[in-house]
Amino acid sequence: MEPTSNEIDREFRFFRTYKNGHVEKFYSTHKIPLSNNPVTGVQSKDIIISPEPAISARIFLPKIHDPTRKLPVLFYIHGGGFCFESAFSPLYHNHVASLVTEARVVAVSVEYGLYPDRPIPACYEDSWAALKWVVSHSARNGPEPWLNEYADFDRVFISGDSAGANISHNLAVRVGPDGLSGVKVKGIVLVHPFFGGLEEDDEMWLYMCPENGGLQDRRLKPPAEDLARIGCGRMLIFFAAEDHLREVGQRYYDELAKSEWGGSVEVVEHQGENHVFHLMKPDCEKATNLIKKFGSFINQN
C-alpha cells in the first residue's frame, strides 16, 4: 500500500519529511534583485560560477576612492541550516553590503546547493568550487573584472555564520597549511558556528547527508588533525551568549587551542543575545559592534 501524502516520516528543527518523499520546509527563502546603494556607494552584481551544478554568487564592491589601491577579498558563506536562506535574500544582501562598507573589501557571497534538492555534501563542494573560481583571478585574467582589477589576493578572508561558519572551517581545512596557489588566505571569521552537539541538530545534519561518518563525521565534529591543518594564521569567532550553539562553539575553541594549529584566535561574545541576532536586529548597538569588529579584524596589520 502506497503511503498517503500526509504521513509524516521525520520532523526536524527546519523541516519535516513525509513517507511519500515530500519535504516541507518551515522557512521560506525570499530573494531580492541586486541593487546599488547611492548612500554608501556599494555596488553589486550577480554572476554564474557553474551552470551544472548550479553555483552562483553576488559580488559587492565598495565605493572606489583610489583605483590603484587593491582591496581585501571577503569570501562569504550564508547560514540557514544547510537547507534554506540565500546569498540573494534581504538578510544576507544587506549584511554583506554592511561588511563591505565597513571593511572596504570586495565580497563574493556564494549561492550553494541546499537540501533537499542537493543534499550535503553539495554545500561544501559548491563552496570549494566557488573559492577556486575566486582564486582563478589571481593572475588578473579571470572572468570577473572587479576581482581582476581591485582584489588583493594576498589578503583573502573566508567567513560565514551558523552553517556557513561550519562550511568556512571546512574550506580552511581544505586550503591546508600549503595554501592555494596565487593567493594567501589570511584569516577566517566564524559567526555563531554550527558544529552539531545537540541531538536534534546532529540527527538533522546526518539525515541531510546520506553518506556520512556518523556522529564523529569530521565535517560535524572536527578532529585535532583537521584543526591543525587550518590554512590561515588568524581566526575571529563571534559567540552570542544565549545561542543554543554557544556550548558547542566553546568546545570548538577549546579543541582548537589544544591543537597543533599555530595561528592566533580571538573571541568576541555578545551578552544577552541569541543566534544570528545581528541579522535579525542589524541596527542594534551590538550588531553594529559586530560589524565594526569584523572590519577591524580584516584590516589590522
Side-chain angles (χ1 to χ4, degrees):
M1 182 177 176
E2 289 293 318
T4 62
S5 61
N6 61 352
E7 285 187 272
I8 296 174
D9 183 30
R10 300 288 300 274
E11 185 155 336
F12 300 99
R13 186 186 298 274
F14 296 135
F15 61 89
R16 67 169 62 100
T17 63
Y18 293 83
K19 291 186 177 179
N20 66 355
H22 175 63
V23 176
E24 178 189 1
K25 294 184 183 182
F26 300 148
Y27 300 91
S28 59
T29 298
H30 175 54
K31 300 181 182 182
I32 60 173
L34 58 84
S35 61
N36 298 327
N37 189 316
V39 176
T40 64
V42 172
Q43 303 177 66
S44 60
K45 67 168 73 170
D46 294 340
I47 54 94
I48 294 173
I49 293 172
S50 165
E52 185 59 40
I55 310 169
S56 56
R58 181 160 289 179
I59 302 182
F60 297 80
L61 185 72
K63 186 175 183 179
I64 300 299
H65 300 288
D66 179 0
T68 66
R69 184 180 179 187
K70 304 303 182 189
L71 304 173
V73 178
L74 173 62
F75 185 82
Y76 197 86
I77 308 165
H78 72 78
F82 307 95
C83 59
F84 68 102
E85 268 304 334
S86 167
F88 309 133
S89 76
L91 284 180
Y92 285 102
H93 175 94
N94 294 332
H95 177 57
V96 176
S98 294
L99 292 173
V100 168
T101 300
E102 178 65 32
R104 295 202 49 75
V105 294
V106 182
V108 178
S109 184
V110 62
E111 182 80 343
Y112 55 87
L114 300 173
Y115 176 87
D117 297 331
R118 299 190 55 229
I120 299 171
C123 54
Y124 300 107
E125 298 307 320
D126 290 359
S127 298
W128 179 245
L131 180 60
K132 290 196 295 183
W133 178 86
V134 171
V135 171
S136 74
H137 294 75
S138 61
R140 309 287 172 190
N141 59 357
E144 174 44 52
W146 284 357
L147 290 172
N148 291 334
E149 188 170 351
Y150 298 111
D152 181 350
F153 291 102
D154 286 333
R155 291 188 292 164
V156 175
F157 293 83
I158 301 172
S159 179
D161 60 274
S162 195
N166 174 287
I167 299 169
S168 296
H169 156 82
N170 280 279
L171 291 191
V173 172
R174 288 180 78 162
V175 169
D178 294 334
L180 294 169
S181 178
V183 307
K184 291 180 181 178
V185 177
K186 298 289 285 186
I188 62 174
V189 182
L190 307 182
V191 184
H192 310 162
F194 169 85
F195 289 106
L198 298 178
E199 184 177 357
E200 64 174 307
D201 289 334
D202 289 341
E203 289 183 359
M204 183 177 67
W205 189 92
L206 293 170
Y207 189 89
M208 291 188 289
C209 183
E211 296 182 9
N212 62 69
L215 289 174
Q216 298 307 311
D217 190 295
R218 63 197 324 124
R219 296 163 294 187
L220 190 63
K221 292 186 172 61
E225 58 266 30
D226 280 9
L227 295 170
R229 284 186 51 80
I230 289 174
C232 65
R234 297 166 52 219
M235 185 185 302
L236 172 62
I237 307 176
F238 287 102
F239 291 132
E242 304 303 317
D243 188 352
H244 70 287
L245 301 179
R246 175 64 179 91
E247 184 177 341
V248 182
Q250 183 66 43
R251 185 183 67 196
Y252 174 87
Y253 170 78
D254 292 341
E255 293 299 317
L256 181 66
K258 292 188 295 184
S259 76
E260 295 182 3
W261 180 60
S264 62
V265 59
E266 185 176 358
V267 170
V268 174
E269 181 166 17
H270 292 102
Q271 297 296 325
E273 297 294 350
N274 218 314
H275 193 62
V276 298
F277 74 91
H278 60 292
L279 298 178
M280 305 301 148
K281 303 181 295 180
D283 296 324
C284 75
E285 182 179 354
K286 291 173 185 174
T288 301
N289 169 270
L290 185 150
I291 295 289
K292 288 186 177 300
K293 180 60 185 176
F294 199 124
S296 66
F297 175 80
I298 286 178
N299 288 298
Q300 74 185 54
N301 294 324

